């Protein structure tokens, strides 16, 4: 199967209101261009040192999403161009993103990453940390970030019931925040959940953004 036909198959299966972010980590500029040429504009990367050169070599109308663990001291390298940072996991990081975005007179879209998986290794805020963060008086003072939703990764397992429960848990947290902290914040709309192996379940549970790599480009080695 080609990159183009893989993308078209995924897009045809999605319901309206769900967007595809093509995850291009470890993939070459040529492979990304094949996806671009069939109309894909949103791409996700998880390493700053890989994202910056790809951004420089590819068309400027690509909407780059950052999906990996982001160190505060690296925000400055992506602040001039990044569209969305999906993996915000602390108030300090958000503050730094705000500061760097301000230098470029930009507003950077941010999702708060929530730890929903059973695995220890996945990054993100616990529910309690998330609520502590969203209740911080600092949060609404940041003028150069727009907190637009939540991101989460389910456990890598064959157990579909568990995956569904984890996505449902994230959807419920977002609903709670929509009714409280973000009640007067109409941009808080996104729920980024679902990868190659589990996106069908994520969409059923209310995902608005799926992040797909290997189903498009093939396995990463
Ligand atoms: C790699 C990655 C994906 C895509 O994974 P696939 O299984 O290749 O679709 C999605 N989200 C995050 C955060 C990732 O790191």
């Amino acid at each position: 199967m080609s990159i183009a036909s893989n993308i078209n198959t995924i897009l045809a299966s999605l319901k309206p209101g769900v967007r595809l972010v093509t995850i291009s980590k470890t993939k070459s500029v040529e492979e990304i261009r094949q996806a671009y040429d069939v109309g894909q504009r949103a791409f996700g990367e998880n390493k700053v040192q890989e994202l910056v050169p790809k951004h420089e070599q590819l068309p400027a109308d690509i909407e780059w999403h950052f999906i990996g663990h982001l160190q505060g001291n690296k925000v400055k390298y992506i602040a001039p161009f990044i569209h969305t940072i999906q993996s915000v996991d602390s108030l300090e990081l958000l503050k730094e993103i705000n500061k760097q975005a301000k230098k470029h007179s930009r507003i950077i879209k941010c999702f708060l990453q929530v730890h929903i998986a059973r695995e220890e290794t996945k990054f993100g805020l616990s529910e309690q940390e998330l609520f502590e963060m969203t209740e911080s008086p600092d949060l609404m003072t940041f003028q150069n970030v727009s907190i637009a939703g939540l991101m989460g990764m389910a456990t890598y397992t064959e157990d579909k019931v568990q995956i569904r429960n984890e996505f449902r848990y994230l959807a419920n947290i977002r609903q709670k925040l929509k009714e409280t902290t973000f009640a007067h914040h109409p941009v808080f709309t996104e729920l980024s959940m679902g990868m190659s192996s589990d996106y069908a379940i994520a969409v059923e549970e209310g995902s608005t953004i799926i992040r797909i790599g290997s189903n498009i480009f093939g396995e990463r080695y």
Side-chain angles (χ1 to χ4, degrees):
M1 294 295 271
S2 70
I3 290 171
S5 66
N6 291 341
I7 288 177
N8 287 329
T9 303
I10 294 166
L11 291 177
S13 76
L14 293 182
K15 49 186 179 190
V18 183
R19 290 186 65 215
L20 167 64
V21 174
T22 299
I23 302 304
S24 51
K25 63 191 185 197
T26 78
K27 299 298 165 181
S28 67
V29 163
E30 289 69 33
E31 287 166 300
I32 297 172
R33 200 176 276 281
Q34 288 180 45
Y36 181 88
D37 287 342
V38 289
Q40 243 340 86
R41 289 296 178 272
F43 291 87
E45 291 281 337
N46 68 345
K47 291 201 170 75
V48 170
Q49 68 271 28
E50 191 177 333
L51 168 57
V52 170
K54 283 178 175 173
H55 162 255
E56 286 166 358
Q57 292 170 66
L58 283 156
D61 65 343
I62 288 182
E63 182 185 296
W64 289 105
H65 290 238
F66 196 81
I67 57 160
H69 184 63
L70 182 57
Q71 286 171 277
N73 60 3
K74 294 200 173 153
V75 175
K76 58 177 176 287
Y77 302 116
I78 61 172
F81 67 87
I82 196 79
H83 181 278
T84 301
I85 298 175
Q86 295 206 8
S87 45
V88 175
D89 59 1
S90 73
L91 195 62
E92 291 65 41
L93 180 60
L94 197 62
K95 197 182 238 172
E96 180 64 18
I97 297 167
N98 186 63
K99 180 178 150 193
Q100 297 298 335
K102 193 177 174 142
K103 287 188 186 166
H104 300 279
S105 308
R106 301 189 66 229
I107 293 173
I108 296 176
K109 223 184 238 210
C110 291
F111 301 166
L112 306 178
Q113 183 175 357
V114 186
H115 180 103
I116 57 172
R118 202 175 277 171
E119 292 122 317
E120 289 287 335
T121 52
K122 290 193 172 145
F123 291 106
L125 299 147
S126 68
E127 183 173 358
Q128 191 187 337
E129 288 166 338
L130 175 70
F131 285 112
E132 277 168 19
M133 185 170 163
T134 55
E135 278 157 24
S136 154
D138 286 350
L139 199 75
M140 299 300 173
T141 69
F142 298 149
Q143 300 291 315
N144 295 78
V145 295
S146 168
I147 303 171
L150 302 180
M151 188 269 264
M153 286 167 93
T155 304
Y156 190 72
T157 171
E158 296 287 307
D159 184 347
K160 293 195 161 37
V161 174
Q162 187 184 343
I163 293 170
R164 187 178 297 281
N165 285 340
E166 290 173 359
F167 287 146
R168 195 167 287 181
Y169 170 69
L170 187 62
N172 285 336
I173 294 175
R174 185 189 59 149
Q175 192 55 34
K176 252 189 255 178
L177 286 174
K178 254 182 154 173
E179 289 164 6
T180 56
T181 315
F182 296 99
H184 303 290
H185 201 89
V187 300
F188 189 79
T189 53
E190 305 285 7
L191 192 53
S192 172
M193 55 187 203
M195 312 179 15
S196 289
S197 58
D198 57 19
Y199 76 89
I201 303 173
V203 169
E204 285 170 9
E205 295 303 326
S207 173
T208 65
I209 293 184
I210 56 169
R211 310 178 309 271
I212 310 274
S214 33
N215 278 14
I216 292 173
F217 295 111
E219 293 298 318
R220 288 177 298 273
Y221 300 104

